[in-house]
Amino acid sequence: MPPLAQRNLMHDKVRLAVTLTGIVFAVVLIVVEMGLFLGFTVTTSSIIDKSKVDLWIVSKHTPYIEQGAAFSERKLYQVLATPGVATAEKYIVRFAQWKTPNGAEQSVQVVGFNPYTKIGGPWNVVQGDVEDLKTPDAVMIDQLYANKLGVKNVGEIFEINGRRARVVGFTKGIRAFTTTPYVFTTFKNAQAFGRLEEDQTLFILVKAAPGTDLKKLQQDLQSRLRDVDVLTTSKFSAMTRFYWMFTTGAGVAVLIAALLGLVVGVVVVAQTIYATTMDHIREYGTLKAMGAPNSYIYRVIIIQAGIAAVVGYALAMFVSFFVVRASQSGGAAIYLPLPMAIGIFFLTVLMCTTAAVVSINKVTSLDPAMVFRG
Amino acid sequence: MIPAISVRDVTKVFIEGPNQVPVLHGVDFEVEQGEVVLLMGPSGSGKTTLLSIMGCILRATTGSVKVAGREVANLDERELPAVRLKNIGFIFQGFNLFPTLTVGENVELALDLKGIRGAKAKGESRRLLEQVGLAAKYNSFPSDLSGGQKQRVAIARALSGSPGVILADEPTAALDSHSGRNVMEMMRELAQTHGRGVVVVTHDSRVLEFGDRIVSMEDGRIAEALAEDAA
């Protein structure tokens, strides 16, 4: 086919610019909203997902990680005695109050883990070392929240729930969905910061021995332990994500915004492709008069929409790259993994071809006899 | 010899809201192969409607329409485009070229519709443009051509796929007398050397000498059919 679609599209540069702007706006909006949704989702369960254990033992009916309730740490010995368990660690994630030297208070989530095994410990450590946490009162925070917590340098002293805390290092990119910063420390410190009894824990993290049937181990532990739930890491992660994204409505709001982006895109592209079609309506009439089947003309319109989609998508991804990069230093990260970028490409093509339907309807009802009218 | 087009007792009634508007009243008309017929008459006499019915763009309300011997009056709306594509070439008063395509691409588009593509389409496009004396304008855009040249491109496009019938609607109306003569000479040559039936709807008295027959219409009827010597 001669390049009729391409030429028609390029013919009016202003209209093409409007079309592409509409697509770019819609796609960037979709990227931002879906990327935020994904970012939020990943953030809500990052502590669980990064723990690299197989099972989480939580108090009965714990709906998500922030709702962990204390239970006796003696259960740890029952867990360790269960065949198939390679290792198990007590673990704490608990809200506490951080106090800066000038007296300001800020909520934090104290994460207590065993610095010797490092199970459930921080990742992306950019200053200091996890080993440093073995020293008394040592804590590690993320660079993102340093200002919020009034921390300028390693070695500074603060208070958590009235107890001394000394910053020994920084991580990078460990966000908290609730914007309440994570403070990594030893299990013992966390017990103290979180005002837990000395024999209490909030979670037990379990690594299965190689070759162990995880489902069977989960059932064995569940039958041995009273008043707790034994959950796979993926299950507990999903429960936490579901709670924050859907029970609170936060995720739904973001998804609705993404949907709005899609609707805006369809409307803008439909309007401009329709205007382009109307500009060339006499040519389509001529094609019909010459004997072109409707499918031939549909192809011209769909190719126009497709080109607009591909070019618009490419421009939108260029813009999104900078938006995503800028978000990395902010409180809410926008994620754009390759599968999502590919998915949005197909969504863009779908958006543009759907927008072409209005034009296709117009051409379908076009009377070829129009070519004989003045 | 089978007529290029044969129209028998054709009526056409348009429905406009609650009203029925009869436009053609039992028209009989025939175009032989190799013949140029000039269809004349005042505005509203039904010339364009008859041309549209012969071109399988409109369907007759009653009567018989045969294109190259094939009855088309009873064909479904969806079957008519294929008949047009195979048998009929159109030339329009306003040229109706595609302004965003080059001259060559305009002809290639018509060939593409007929399934002729790639190098074969380019070769055929060049050949047709040579035939109308515009091979040198292959890569020009229609906006760079004069009216007469545009109409010659339209003729080349109408000839793509060698249809047996050429239907032209006021092909000289937008042209000066010299260009108009050139176009009509070309039409005549098309009919005579290739055995095509050519119907030209016209108000232009300057082209009378190019018709083998002149058919006059009035109030939806054939008013007068005159034999005419071609120059």
Side-chain angles (χ1 to χ4, degrees):
Chain A
M1 181 191 281
L4 185 61
Q6 296 90 314
R7 298 278 177 77
N8 281 355
L9 199 62
M10 296 295 293
H11 185 61
D12 188 337
K13 303 271 190 304
V14 174
R15 180 158 291 147
L16 178 64
V18 171
T19 306
L20 293 179
T21 305
I23 296 171
V24 169
F25 178 76
V27 173
V28 171
L29 193 57
I30 292 167
V31 165
V32 168
E33 297 300 340
M34 288 185 73
L36 273 175
F37 180 80
L38 192 61
F40 286 165
T41 306
V42 168
T43 304
T44 55
S45 61
S46 62
I47 290 283
I48 304 170
D49 300 328
K50 292 283 186 180
S51 65
K52 292 176 185 165
V53 296
D54 300 303
L55 297 170
W56 280 65
I57 296 171
V58 305
S59 60
K60 205 82 181 163
H61 305 307
T62 298
Y64 57 99
I65 192 167
E66 285 82 0
Q67 276 288 306
F71 59 85
S72 170
E73 65 177 36
R74 274 177 294 181
K75 285 190 167 58
L76 175 67
Y77 305 109
Q78 287 175 276
V79 172
L80 287 169
T82 304
V85 172
T87 183
E89 291 290 349
K90 296 172 288 183
Y91 198 63
I92 290 172
V93 178
R94 192 169 174 87
F95 285 102
Q97 284 301 110
W98 174 285
K99 195 172 183 179
T100 58
N102 64 11
E105 292 211 357
Q106 173 67 48
S107 283
V108 293
Q109 290 183 82
V110 174
V111 180
F113 70 105
N114 182 349
Y116 292 92
T117 62
K118 297 177 184 169
I119 290 173
W123 61 98
N124 286 350
V125 176
V126 291
Q127 196 174 348
D129 193 284
V130 177
E131 294 289 323
D132 300 336
L133 287 173
K134 291 174 185 170
T135 56
D137 309 323
V139 298
M140 196 174 268
I141 63 162
D142 196 274
Q143 284 178 333
L144 280 170
Y145 304 111
N147 278 344
K148 190 174 186 177
L149 298 177
V151 181
K152 290 188 178 64
N153 296 303
V154 164
E156 289 181 325
I157 310 291
F158 299 86
E159 268 184 31
I160 300 176
N161 278 354
R163 298 183 72 96
R164 185 175 184 271
R166 186 168 50 88
V167 177
V168 296
F170 291 104
T171 60
K172 185 179 179 185
I174 303 182
R175 289 183 173 76
F177 176 69
T178 56
T179 69
T180 307
Y182 289 119
V183 176
F184 290 90
T185 187
T186 61
F187 179 81
K188 274 291 159 203
N189 279 341
Q191 267 184 328
F193 291 143
R195 292 173 179 157
L196 285 170
E197 300 292 328
E198 277 202 0
D199 66 341
Q200 285 188 323
T201 183
L202 294 189
F203 306 99
I204 295 172
L205 311 189
V206 180
K207 269 191 173 178
T212 302
D213 179 345
L214 196 60
K215 196 156 184 64
K216 185 175 178 307
L217 177 59
Q218 184 186 7
Q219 286 167 350
D220 286 351
L221 286 167
Q222 191 65 73
S223 62
R224 280 173 177 237
L225 303 169
R226 284 171 180 270
D227 303 323
V228 292
D229 287 329
V230 180
L231 304 170
T232 59
T233 299
S234 58
K235 171 73 175 170
F236 193 41
S237 171
M239 285 166 63
T240 299
R241 288 176 179 203
F242 184 84
Y243 174 81
W244 284 113
M245 301 317 292
F246 296 104
T247 309
T248 65
V252 176
V254 174
L255 281 181
I256 287 172
L259 192 66
L260 278 177
L262 192 64
V263 172
V264 167
V266 169
V267 171
V268 170
V269 179
Q271 196 277 330
T272 48
I273 288 183
Y274 182 74
T276 305
T277 304
M278 292 308 291
D279 274 356
H280 298 276
I281 200 76
R282 197 165 177 80
E283 292 161 37
Y284 294 129
T286 304
L287 273 175
K288 283 187 103 167
M290 286 162 66
N294 279 335
S295 59
Y296 192 92
I297 302 170
Y298 297 165
R299 200 148 38 110
V300 173
I301 294 171
I302 295 282
I303 290 173
Q304 279 182 37
I307 293 170
V310 171
V311 177
Y313 173 82
L315 292 172
M317 281 297 134
F318 182 73
V319 174
S320 297
F321 172 77
F322 291 103
V323 173
V324 168
R325 230 170 72 155
S327 79
Q328 300 308 313
S329 55
I334 297 167
Y335 280 50
L336 183 57
L338 185 63
M340 189 172 115
I342 293 169
I344 289 176
F345 171 74
F346 288 110
L347 195 66
T348 310
V349 172
L350 182 71
M351 175 178 83
C352 291
T353 47
T354 305
V357 168
V358 185
S359 299
I360 283 173
N361 277 341
K362 180 72 189 173
V363 168
T364 303
S365 60
L366 190 63
D367 179 5
M370 72 176 289
V371 291
F372 294 123
R373 295 180 205 126
Chain B
M1 195 163 55
I2 300 169
I5 288 185
S6 167
V7 172
R8 289 276 168 261
D9 200 21
V10 159
T11 66
K12 179 66 185 176
V13 179
F14 286 110
I15 310 291
E16 288 182 2
N19 304 320
Q20 293 197 335
V21 183
V23 178
L24 296 180
H25 307 275
V27 173
D28 290 318
F29 184 73
E30 210 164 80
V31 183
E32 299 297 338
Q33 294 174 30
E35 183 185 34
V36 176
V37 177
L38 304 183
L39 194 54
M40 304 188 79
S43 293
S45 60
K47 305 183 300 293
T48 301
T49 302
L50 181 59
L51 191 76
S52 299
I53 288 172
M54 288 189 290
C56 301
I57 286 176
L58 287 180
R59 296 177 72 203
T61 306
T62 61
S64 162
V65 180
K66 288 182 179 173
V67 176
R70 183 188 177 191
E71 180 61 67
V72 296
N74 52 3
L75 290 183
D76 188 73
E77 290 277 2
R78 285 167 298 181
E79 296 172 289
L80 292 176
V83 177
R84 293 202 290 273
L85 202 54
K86 186 178 175 205
N87 300 288
I88 301 164
F90 290 95
I91 297 166
F92 308 101
Q93 178 181 345
F95 321 123
N96 290 31
L97 297 178
F98 295 86
T100 58
L101 297 181
T102 64
V103 164
E105 287 166 345
N106 263 278
V107 181
E108 282 169 37
L109 183 65
L111 291 163
D112 184 61
L113 287 173
K114 293 167 188 187
I116 303 163
R117 299 188 178 105
K120 196 175 171 192
K122 283 193 189 303
E124 180 66 2
S125 171
R126 279 195 187 282
R127 189 187 69 75
L128 290 168
L129 287 168
E130 264 166 30
Q131 204 174 325
V132 297
L134 286 175
K137 299 287 185 185
Y138 188 89
N139 290 317
S140 302
F141 283 91
S143 55
D144 300 327
L145 306 182
S146 68
Q149 287 173 324
K150 285 178 189 168
Q151 200 59 294
R152 279 150 64 192
V153 176
I155 291 172
R157 182 176 70 181
L159 292 176
S160 65
S162 291
V165 177
I166 299 287
L167 302 179
D169 181 39
E170 304 275 9
T172 60
L175 305 180
D176 59 50
S177 59
H178 176 70
S179 300
R181 284 188 69 83
N182 274 346
V183 165
M184 288 310 296
E185 274 166 12
M186 219 165 263
M187 299 271 217
R188 201 179 157 91
E189 193 186 325
L190 290 177
Q192 288 177 346
T193 58
H194 298 280
R196 293 185 176 95
V198 176
V199 179
V200 179
V201 167
T202 185
H203 283 105
D204 189 350
S205 56
R206 296 172 301 178
V207 304
L208 293 181
E209 60 181 291
F210 297 98
D212 296 309
R213 271 194 300 140
I214 300 166
V215 174
S216 174
M217 287 192 75
E218 204 169 310
D219 297 332
R221 292 183 174 84
I222 301 293
E224 196 181 1
L226 304 168
E228 178 98 353
D229 267 341

